[in-house]
Amino acid sequence: MKIKSKLPDLETTIFTVMSALANQHGAINLSQGFPNYDCDPVLKDLVAKYVQDGYNQYAPMAGLPELNEQIYAKIARMYGAQVHPANEITMTAGATQAIYTAITALVQSDDEVILIEPAYDCYRPAIELCGGIPVPYELSKPDYRVDWAALESLVTPRTRMIMINSPHNPSGTVFSREDMLELQRITDDTDIIVLSDEVYEHIVYGGAEHQSVLRFPDLFARSVATFSFGKTFHNTGWKLGYAVAPEYLMDEFRKVHQFNVFSVNRPMQHALAEYMKNSDNYLSLGSFFQQKRDYFLQAIKTSRFRPITCAGTYFQSVDYSEISDEPDTKFAERLTREYGVAAIPISVFFSHKKDEKVVRFCFAKTEDMLEQAGELLCKI
Ligand code: PMP
Ligand code: GLN
């Protein structure tokens, strides 16, 4: 039988491709973003307890009320916003589902969606599946900053959504308050929805404050923000996250969510609700990863890779143009095969495959692994 593909040109996600290649060649895997160490035993014990105690049936559709309350309290404390725990927060199967659900609920056929590229790879296919039209705005090395006037020139009467991601994967840049005010200015008095992917909200460096859309009431009034427990609590395999949006947008979000997953893992929601009562469990994350970033930078200091400034996320991108002029996909492949370290080529995050000779390393790893990788990278 012949079927018509909805995504005829789509390839397997680079994270699957590079992790498989790393495994195949026994390379140190600094490609796909996940820690190589375990999450807190306290959190694991809590999951075990709730499973044993019989909390094994469906959670409520919007999330376990105790967990929604914890998120409400965290948002109030960190961003000064009062969102409604029951009506404006929904637990999801990771940020990926939150993003997919938000786009499915809010983007219609022929709507334009402005993407800031390099853009995380799940954004574009979700837009295309809805019949939406991705409109890329390209950032450039080494600073990957948005020129808001240039971005504004892409806005048309058909623009339905602008997607942002700060701290930014893969560049590690972080939006300032001025960036957010520019976004607010551009969207003011329009029907544009902002989808703000904030999965690295706690991973910002140098004592900077994460500029969530939740800090800006006028901006939040048109926004859906997405978050991931996996990034915050070192358990990407649990695939739990959440979305926050004003009620009129969350109502639409839930129309899709209820038939997309209905609800997500219950015992883990109980465990997270209890674990989050201690805010040190997430507020310490910036200094935890800053140490790893600095350790990795030290380990590659004498190499020919030129680091791109990383102000947030657990990714260090590097410019390899002093080493090779190969396309980044080829270089990343050869790095894995011949030198034993796997990385992500950045061009895959551009619609037009812009190749600036930059690859991304994940430093959410033990010092031991970072040191070994550093030794290999310094020999190139
Ligand atoms: N957005 C960005 C920018 C990411 O890096 C990731 C990867 N974790 C996600 C969304 C997806 O998060 P999750 O694993 O919770 O689905
Ligand atoms: N977010 C992770 C990264 O950027 C990958 C998650 C995935 O494999 N889908 O590496």
Side-chain angles (χ1 to χ4, degrees):
M1 187 174 78
K2 275 218 168 93
I3 59 150
K4 189 172 165 214
S5 172
K6 286 190 161 185
L7 297 167
D9 301 322
L10 195 76
E11 292 171 4
T12 303
T13 169
I14 192 71
F15 304 117
T16 297
V17 171
M18 292 313 302
S19 278
L21 198 67
N23 290 339
Q24 189 188 336
H25 293 278
I28 297 175
N29 189 1
L30 305 190
S31 64
Q32 191 177 23
F34 62 88
N36 74 324
Y37 47 84
D38 206 354
C39 63
D40 189 343
V42 172
L43 185 53
K44 294 199 295 182
D45 286 346
L46 284 169
V47 174
K49 170 171 117 67
Y50 283 104
V51 170
Q52 286 302 338
D53 288 354
Y55 291 90
N56 297 309
Q57 309 311 327
Y58 292 124
M61 192 263 275
L64 198 74
E66 297 91 305
L67 184 54
N68 288 34
E69 284 288 342
Q70 284 299 321
I71 298 298
Y72 153 80
K74 187 184 84 160
I75 289 172
R77 212 166 40 241
M78 287 189 59
Y79 305 128
Q82 297 289 328
V83 297
H84 195 289
N87 300 339
E88 299 186 317
I89 300 171
T90 301
M91 294 299 143
T92 60
T96 309
Q97 185 236 314
I99 292 162
Y100 186 83
T101 300
I103 291 172
T104 307
L106 300 167
V107 173
Q108 314 223 6
S109 196
D110 295 330
D111 281 350
E112 292 175 2
V113 178
I114 297 178
L115 286 180
I116 298 175
E117 293 187 342
Y120 187 61
D121 70 345
C122 76
Y123 302 170
R124 194 186 164 97
I127 297 162
E128 289 175 344
L129 282 170
C130 296
I133 301 163
V135 177
Y137 170 79
E138 290 188 349
L139 303 175
S140 294
K141 76 173 183 185
D143 63 343
Y144 295 94
R145 299 244 60 105
V146 175
D147 171 346
W148 290 101
L151 186 141
E152 188 175 13
S153 70
L154 300 176
V155 173
T156 75
R158 297 222 311 244
T159 306
R160 159 61 47 209
M161 182 180 274
I162 298 178
M163 292 185 69
I164 60 168
N165 168 221
S166 174
H168 182 244
N169 178 7
S171 73
T173 50
V174 165
F175 275 177
S176 64
R177 184 177 155 74
E178 288 66 38
D179 286 316
M180 300 305 280
L181 291 174
E182 281 290 285
L183 179 63
Q184 183 167 295
R185 178 187 63 74
I186 290 171
T187 52
D188 192 30
D189 265 339
T190 67
D191 292 332
I192 299 172
I193 294 161
V194 172
L195 179 46
S196 181
D197 182 1
E198 304 187 16
V199 297
Y200 301 102
E201 63 173 332
H202 298 299
I203 313 181
V204 286
Y205 303 130
E209 283 185 332
H210 167 58
Q211 298 297 326
S212 173
V213 285
L214 286 151
R215 284 185 194 272
F216 302 85
D218 290 347
L219 197 51
F220 179 61
R222 58 173 71 254
S223 297
V224 180
T226 58
F227 301 88
S228 171
F229 290 110
K231 300 293 165 188
T232 302
F233 296 128
H234 318 286
N235 48 19
T236 60
W238 290 12
K239 290 300 302 186
L240 285 175
Y242 56 98
V244 185
E247 195 169 338
Y248 76 103
L249 292 175
M250 190 50 87
D251 283 351
E252 296 304 315
F253 181 98
R254 288 184 184 170
K255 286 179 189 173
V256 178
H257 176 77
Q258 66 182 340
F259 296 125
N260 187 1
V261 285
F262 179 69
S263 70
V264 298
N265 192 304
R266 179 167 197 151
M268 287 178 177
Q269 289 191 64
H270 279 284
L272 287 165
E274 203 161 318
Y275 190 68
M276 282 190 70
K277 287 181 187 159
N278 178 0
S279 59
D280 287 346
N281 287 331
Y282 49 87
L283 294 181
S284 57
L285 213 59
S287 54
F288 175 80
F289 280 121
Q290 188 163 334
Q291 244 176 339
K292 292 197 179 294
R293 180 200 62 179
D294 294 344
Y295 193 90
F296 182 61
L297 283 174
Q298 188 61 33
I300 61 166
K301 200 169 175 190
T302 60
S303 77
R304 289 191 289 158
F305 292 100
R306 293 287 143 258
I308 305 281
T309 303
C310 169
T313 76
Y314 50 49
F315 301 114
Q316 178 64 58
S317 288
V318 296
D319 181 329
Y320 66 84
S321 53
E322 273 181 40
I323 300 174
S324 165
D325 58 7
E326 283 167 290
D328 65 354
T329 45
K330 282 274 161 293
F331 181 74
E333 204 182 306
R334 204 159 64 82
L335 198 59
T336 311
R337 268 187 224 286
E338 290 179 22
Y339 295 99
V341 183
I344 296 288
I346 299 309
S347 65
V348 301
F349 301 129
F350 284 98
S351 300
H352 304 299
K353 308 295 173 224
K354 176 163 139 176
D355 178 9
E356 292 192 300
K357 316 294 174 209
V358 176
V359 292
R360 187 201 82 176
F361 294 114
C362 171
F363 56 77
K365 308 291 172 189
T366 52
E367 290 191 350
D368 193 35
M369 182 179 264
L370 294 175
E371 192 177 322
Q372 281 179 42
E375 276 172 22
L376 294 169
L377 295 172
C378 286
K379 286 187 195 145
I380 304 172

